[in-house]
Amino acid sequence: MNKNYLYIVFTAFLLNNSSVWAMEKPDQMTQELNAQVPEWLSLGTPIKVEPVKSVTGVEEIFRTRSGGATNSRNRVQIPSRGIQIELDYEIDWTGNNEAGTGVSLSPDGKRLVVNSGPISHLYEIEPDGSHREAMLQLPHVTYDSGIKGYLRGWSWADDQTLIAQAEITDESGHKIIENRIYVFHMKDRALSRLDLSALNLLANDSIEVVGIGNDLNQLKLSVGGALVVAKADLKSPPKIEIKKPNPQSVSASFDADKQLPGIQAHLDLVAQSTSEGPAVKPTWSIIAVLIVATFCLFWLLKNRRSKV
């Protein structure tokens, strides 16, 4: 009987904790996706993307997003330089190296981005073909308004500009609501979303950057498997989005050193009004009522004792 009881208790413990463990990951994802924009990062205004009706010599003005690098599951190749790099982790790999999101070599041939799920690594390629890993600071989440998603599949647009994709899913993480593309300007540390509304995409349409115009004014996109050439200004400096604080969100924990003059004046006015006459009267009325109630209670108790 004791053994059966212990078995039941142990089974219940496992079942209970398995649900907790199952919830840990979604909870962690929710916190990451709803995190505040990092101090080092700025959000740029969306960059308009418009389809191009007719373009001549399309193949000559586009560079593949991989930059000529290819990869298998744990190896990177740069055929033009006879370089092969073996890594101790798994690289994103779809079997299609030209359109794949696993690796991307910068136009100057000096830097290589290697994508492994939500993590991206940067390698500096030396003239002699040797390589070394360098620090890479990239946005991890989309951060802009609306439902958030993770940024993945980073590739070079030019030597200082990177492009990433994001699949926006529902709360279950299984249904894709929207596919997005983002641009990160390294010098400005600014992340901008590509406004794809002019392409009239459906919610479940897959979209992927397969080529970048040499002038950074055009993109070759794969939309639902079909190639589309579109205009997009990736060369101009990003226009930084400035968000005004919401007065309703001001709380007692608001940092006084960061308050705007207008908000501070409003808070001072409220503090002044609450310290004057009109606000004092209700306070004294409540105190008077409490005193009377206490006196009545004391009188009742005294009468009961005298009767006994």
Side-chain angles (χ1 to χ4, degrees), residues 19-41:
S19 63
V20 173
W21 294 332
M23 288 299 293
E24 269 186 356
K25 190 173 182 180
D27 288 345
Q28 183 180 357
M29 289 175 61
T30 301
Q31 291 177 2
E32 289 178 352
L33 293 175
N34 294 324
Q36 296 293 321
V37 180
E39 292 185 2
W40 61 268
L41 180 67

Side-chain angles (χ1 to χ4, degrees), residues 215-288:
D215 57 1
L216 292 185
N217 284 322
Q218 291 182 334
L219 293 172
K220 188 194 292 184
L221 306 171
S222 174
V223 181
L227 290 178
V228 175
V229 176
K231 292 190 298 183
D233 182 10
L234 308 183
K235 191 173 184 178
S236 299
K239 297 178 181 178
I240 305 303
E241 216 172 42
I242 300 176
K243 294 183 179 180
K244 296 181 179 179
N246 183 2
Q248 295 178 352
S249 66
V250 177
S251 63
S253 61
F254 196 94
D255 188 353
D257 293 333
K258 297 180 180 179
Q259 290 173 356
L260 296 176
I263 297 177
Q264 181 62 57
H266 174 72
L267 293 176
D268 291 341
L269 181 62
V270 171
Q272 183 180 357
S273 63
T274 55
S275 63
E276 292 177 356
V280 175
K281 291 181 180 178
T283 304
W284 282 110
S285 299
I286 294 171
I287 293 173

Side-chain angles (χ1 to χ4, degrees), residues 85-131:
I85 303 171
E86 185 173 353
L87 302 171
D88 58 359
Y89 56 85
E90 196 165 295
I91 309 169
D92 293 347
W93 186 66
T94 59
N96 184 351
N97 290 314
E98 284 302 311
T101 58
V103 294
S104 179
L105 183 67
S106 61
D108 61 9
K110 295 180 179 180
R111 287 180 292 180
L112 177 76
V113 167
V114 180
N115 300 301
S116 179
I119 301 173
S120 295
H121 302 264
L122 176 65
Y123 296 90
E124 294 180 347
I125 309 298
E126 302 295 337
D128 61 0
S130 61
H131 67 278

Side-chain angles (χ1 to χ4, degrees), residues 3-301:
K3 289 183 179 179
N4 291 336
Y5 176 77
L6 290 174
Y7 174 78
I8 292 171
V9 171
F10 183 70
T11 304
F13 173 80
L14 287 179
L15 291 173
N16 182 58
N17 281 274
S18 65
S19 63
V20 173
W21 294 332
M23 288 299 293
E24 269 186 356
K25 190 173 182 180
D27 288 345
Q28 183 180 357
M29 289 175 61
T30 301
Q31 291 177 2
E32 289 178 352
L33 293 175
N34 294 324
Q36 296 293 321
V37 180
E39 292 185 2
W40 61 268
L41 180 67
S42 299
L43 296 183
T45 57
I47 299 172
K48 189 74 175 175
V49 176
E50 297 178 347
V52 176
K53 294 182 179 179
S54 62
V55 179
T56 57
V58 170
E59 299 301 329
E60 296 178 359
I61 63 174
F62 284 89
R63 186 181 67 88
T64 60
R65 63 174 296 162
S66 67
T70 61
N71 72 281
S72 58
R73 295 193 183 279
N74 68 336
R75 286 183 175 87
V76 181
Q77 302 86 24
I78 306 177
S80 61
R81 298 177 59 182
I83 296 174
Q84 179 167 287
I85 303 171
E86 185 173 353
L87 302 171
D88 58 359
Y89 56 85
E90 196 165 295
I91 309 169
D92 293 347
W93 186 66
T94 59
N96 184 351
N97 290 314
E98 284 302 311
T101 58
V103 294
S104 179
L105 183 67
S106 61
D108 61 9
K110 295 180 179 180
R111 287 180 292 180
L112 177 76
V113 167
V114 180
N115 300 301
S116 179
I119 301 173
S120 295
H121 302 264
L122 176 65
Y123 296 90
E124 294 180 347
I125 309 298
E126 302 295 337
D128 61 0
S130 61
H131 67 278
R132 63 183 181 87
E133 188 166 4
M135 188 182 71
L136 179 64
Q137 189 176 44
L138 291 174
H140 186 51
V141 177
T142 54
Y143 291 116
D144 55 355
S145 59
I147 303 176
K148 309 295 188 296
Y150 289 106
L151 294 166
R152 299 191 178 197
W154 289 98
S155 60
W156 296 100
D158 69 359
D159 297 326
Q160 293 294 331
T161 311
L162 289 138
I163 297 176
Q165 297 176 200
E167 284 187 349
I168 310 301
T169 61
D170 60 5
E171 292 181 357
S172 68
H174 300 296
K175 183 180 179 181
I176 297 176
I177 299 175
E178 185 182 3
N179 287 288
R180 300 178 186 171
I181 300 174
Y182 288 79
V183 177
F184 179 63
H185 293 84
M186 296 186 72
K187 284 185 177 179
D188 301 280
R189 294 185 176 182
L191 179 70
S192 302
R193 177 179 170 181
L194 294 189
D195 179 1
L196 306 173
S197 58
L199 301 182
N200 297 319
L201 301 176
L202 299 177
N204 58 349
D205 277 345
S206 62
I207 182 164
E208 187 176 13
V209 177
V210 295
I212 301 98
N214 291 331
D215 57 1
L216 292 185
N217 284 322
Q218 291 182 334
L219 293 172
K220 188 194 292 184
L221 306 171
S222 174
V223 181
L227 290 178
V228 175
V229 176
K231 292 190 298 183
D233 182 10
L234 308 183
K235 191 173 184 178
S236 299
K239 297 178 181 178
I240 305 303
E241 216 172 42
I242 300 176
K243 294 183 179 180
K244 296 181 179 179
N246 183 2
Q248 295 178 352
S249 66
V250 177
S251 63
S253 61
F254 196 94
D255 188 353
D257 293 333
K258 297 180 180 179
Q259 290 173 356
L260 296 176
I263 297 177
Q264 181 62 57
H266 174 72
L267 293 176
D268 291 341
L269 181 62
V270 171
Q272 183 180 357
S273 63
T274 55
S275 63
E276 292 177 356
V280 175
K281 291 181 180 178
T283 304
W284 282 110
S285 299
I286 294 171
I287 293 173
V289 170
L290 290 174
I291 291 173
V292 172
T294 303
F295 177 78
C296 291
L297 181 62
F298 177 76
W299 183 79
L300 287 172
L301 291 173

